[in-house]
Amino acid sequence: MFEATRRFVADGDSPMPWMGVLTILCAVVAPTVLAVSFLGQLGAAVFVASMPAHLAAKQSGVSVAIAVTIITGLGGVLALGSLEMALVVSVVLSGLTALAFRHGLAQPCLRALFTWTVFTGPIMPADEKPLVLILYCAAVVWSVWVTRALKQEADAEDRQESSQTYSALFGVLLGVGLLISIYVGARFFGSHGFWFPLTFVILWIPPFGNLFSRTAKRTAGTVAGVVLALILGLLVEEVWIRALIALVMVPVAFRLLPVSYVTFTALLTLVILEALSLVADMNALAGERLLSMFAAAVMALVLGAIGLGLLRWIKPEAMDELMQGG
């Protein structure tokens, strides 16, 4: 029992190098904290841009990072404040992501797509779209510049292309999942309904051989993070102290990411809930987060099982690609 639990929680032996942690803090965390402090909800655009830009630059280079995040940001501003446009844009972005998957670029596109889902909620003001886009583009430039300056940019890499059948199936299932999760999240999951599509996209990131284990780990980590946030709220009454504790947890979470995905998810959930609790009730946030997590997990697993069945029927030899692709 103990050994099975250890294997579930532990993913590796080497934590993220401190230079990598420093890069995330400078490229993503610091500008986001400053933007939110001075601009309020409008500052969320900085996080939505800087996080995927940094991750894409770190994995696929600056050129890919800028292209992917700017295109996704344009789609985000287009969808801002309109559920109908969000649904239409989700289909377009799913198609573009499938095309990118065809050429080995699914991961940077999906990471941009999961922060794009924030545009489907009421976090950023829909009546200030030009300013949102300006902040977004500025954050992209800052993030990739810091990533390159601190020598965390990816070297040129060989990208493994995927079959046309697999890419098309991937795009269709992604589009279906986004349509369902965006609509249901907006209608039934409160003001933070974007968590539903956001979680779905995170779970859908390749390689798909890890879909079921990754879903289980993220679910366990989210539950643990919600419990930690509730306990912290009971023990510490002062909001600013809880916010400071959450801020300290950010580098710890990323440092532990390669070691334990469950621990990383728990700490990141704690950080996000404490940050949002500054403007919303913690108990309501916790309930919304758990409901959206379980809903996204169920949908990801159902669509994953459908995809496996269809691929086994249409192109059995693509199963190895499914388990390794991305």
Side-chain angles (χ1 to χ4, degrees):
M1 181 67 177
F2 174 78
E3 182 60 25
T5 303
R6 188 195 67 80
R7 288 198 302 269
F8 179 77
V9 174
D11 298 305
D13 299 322
S14 301
M16 180 181 291
W18 283 113
M19 182 55 71
V21 175
L22 176 64
T23 305
I24 291 176
L25 293 178
C26 294
V28 181
V29 178
T32 299
V33 171
L34 288 173
V36 172
S37 298
F38 288 100
L39 300 173
Q41 289 181 306
L42 190 62
V46 173
F47 170 77
V48 172
S50 60
M51 175 62 84
H54 164 70
L55 293 175
K58 192 172 181 179
Q59 180 182 17
S60 303
V62 165
S63 298
V64 170
I66 293 175
V68 166
T69 50
I70 292 296
I71 290 172
T72 308
L74 291 172
V77 172
L78 187 63
L80 191 60
S82 170
L83 175 58
E84 291 76 15
M85 282 304 301
L87 294 173
V88 173
V89 171
S90 71
V91 174
V92 175
L93 292 179
S94 296
L96 292 175
T97 302
L99 181 62
F101 188 84
R102 179 80 172 83
H103 301 286
L105 290 171
Q107 291 199 20
C109 289
L110 282 167
R111 283 169 175 150
L113 194 57
F114 88 71
T115 58
W116 169 83
T117 59
V118 177
F119 286 103
T120 68
I123 295 297
M124 289 177 283
D127 57 347
E128 296 190 62
K129 290 183 179 181
L131 186 53
V132 168
L133 185 58
I134 290 171
L135 280 173
Y136 185 99
C137 293
V140 169
V141 173
W142 170 262
S143 184
V144 297
W145 178 81
V146 170
T147 305
R148 168 175 279 183
L150 295 181
K151 303 187 185 304
Q152 297 295 302
E153 177 191 5
D155 296 325
E157 61 176 357
D158 295 326
R159 300 190 181 101
Q160 183 179 0
E161 293 198 355
S162 299
S163 69
Q164 189 172 6
T165 301
Y166 182 25
S167 301
L169 179 59
F170 164 82
V172 169
L173 293 176
L174 174 63
V176 169
L178 270 178
L179 280 173
I180 295 173
S181 58
I182 290 170
Y183 182 82
V184 174
R187 293 300 188 192
F188 303 106
F189 282 84
S191 59
H192 300 97
F194 65 87
W195 265 333
F196 189 177
L198 185 154
T199 305
F200 168 71
V201 175
I202 290 175
L203 295 176
W204 207 244
I205 293 176
F208 293 102
N210 299 331
L211 174 62
F212 298 99
S213 63
R214 185 169 62 242
T215 300
K217 290 180 179 183
R218 187 159 190 90
T219 301
T222 300
V223 172
V226 169
V227 171
L228 287 174
L230 292 174
I231 292 174
L232 183 60
L234 291 174
L235 295 178
V236 182
E237 185 175 349
E238 294 81 0
V239 175
W240 71 271
I241 295 180
R242 296 205 309 269
L244 182 60
I245 293 173
L247 191 60
V248 171
M249 287 297 104
V250 173
V252 177
F254 283 102
R255 174 77 169 161
L256 295 177
L257 173 57
V259 177
S260 174
Y261 185 66
V262 174
T263 304
F264 167 77
T265 302
L267 293 178
L268 196 61
T269 300
L270 167 67
V271 171
I272 293 173
L273 288 177
E274 291 298 341
L276 291 175
S277 70
L278 296 174
V279 294
D281 177 68
M282 173 60 79
N283 291 329
L285 287 170
E288 290 174 2
R289 186 68 193 101
L290 288 177
L291 282 174
S292 62
M293 177 66 237
F294 285 122
V298 170
M299 189 170 64
L301 292 176
V302 169
L303 289 175
I306 292 172
L308 281 171
L310 288 174
L311 195 63
R312 190 182 297 276
W313 175 54
I314 297 171
K315 192 174 183 182
E317 65 273 16
M319 291 302 295
D320 289 340
E321 180 185 351
L322 174 68
M323 298 305 169
Q324 301 172 7

